[in-house]
Amino acid sequence: MSRDAVKTLFHPFATRTLTPPAQGERVLFLGAEAGFDLPEDFGAAITAVQPFRPLYNGLMRRGIEAQPFTEGEDYDMALVLLNRHRGANENYLADALKRVRPGARIVVAGSKEDGVQSLRKRVGGLGLETEHLAKYHAQAFWFARPVDSETITKALVQPQAFVLDRFVTAPGMFSHGEADPGSVFLARYFPKDYKKLVADFGAGWGFLASEFYSASPNVEGIDLYEADHPSLEAARRNLNTLAPKLSARYFWHDLAREEVKHRYDLIIMNPPFHEGHATEPSLGQAMIKMAASALKSGGELLMVANRGLPYEPVLKELFRTSGEVARNARYKVLSGKK
């Protein structure tokens, strides 16, 4: 089901509060999601950008061509659909300002949970005049790019983070400001001097793969699977710097829905368990099922989870043997062998 905010984004055009862009014009759509209907006279070509693989796939299924990163400049308009990462949203606005022509309109929409109201106030505080309307339990606001937008753009850009003095991350990535404590706990139980082929499911910005390589520098290789494209590219850069001799491959992949073609001796993972703010263990359960199908006979899964998440039944169902390796006050390390 699509979010209401994507309908809110197009509502000003549907009501003629804003004039829809005409045929021959180019519109950049940052954070694009399926679930919108274009007004009849919205004739412009849309360049849709969506870095999260499940949402990207949703656009493609609707016949909306999309890409995971932004390219081009001098767009006639930008649309920005907010998410729940404040820093990522401000980077979206900065990117929009850099890529539209002077005078072009930037239209933004999001829910209260996305921080749309505070972002509108922030934009106004930077000297930009905004207008807004509310619809579908969300709010849209818009403003025109000034001729000189460099100072405003610099004020909006959120800096990269430097984790553990060696990993470069950015706002919007999972645990971008510190190594996730669950991942740190899991890494304690990595085998030493492992020599076979490994996959890191939900690799993020590369922490687990790097820690595994530190424990087993003679590993045959590590394949990293990640749904968030910027995180995957950060992992690539981090491992190129920290483990230049590691044989690594990188897959932008929805592990809950897209088949894994390669087969592995060991899979490590710290699966996500949130859908928005709600705990959703089915995401981790789907990744466990995918791991079971991607392991060779005799292969092993090694994963970490919050202690309260019910992953043991699916492990017992899919693996020849399974059990708990360790636990602390918050987390448990689980294993399964095919």
Side-chain angles (χ1 to χ4, degrees), residues 199-202 225 253-271 283-303 314-315 318-319 334-338:
D200 181 356
F201 276 16
Y225 290 80
H253 203 86
D254 178 3
L255 285 164
R257 299 170 185 87
E258 293 181 294
E259 180 184 357
V260 172
K261 296 180 180 179
H262 300 284
R263 295 295 175 261
Y264 299 98
D265 300 289
L266 174 64
I267 294 175
I268 57 175
M269 69 177 184
N270 178 4
L283 295 173
Q285 291 164 348
M287 288 178 64
I288 291 171
K289 292 176 182 178
M290 193 65 71
S293 69
L295 283 167
K296 300 175 183 177
S297 177
E300 186 175 1
L301 170 66
L302 189 64
M303 63 175 288
V314 69
L315 285 167
L318 296 173
F319 290 84
L334 304 174
S335 69
K337 191 166 186 177
K338 290 284 285 184

Side-chain angles (χ1 to χ4, degrees), residues 39 50 63 155 204 220 222 250 278 285 287 290 293 319-320 322-323:
Q50 177 49 255
E220 178 183 336
I222 302 178
Y250 301 86
Q285 291 164 348
M287 288 178 64
M290 193 65 71
S293 69
F319 290 84
R320 181 166 52 86
S322 63

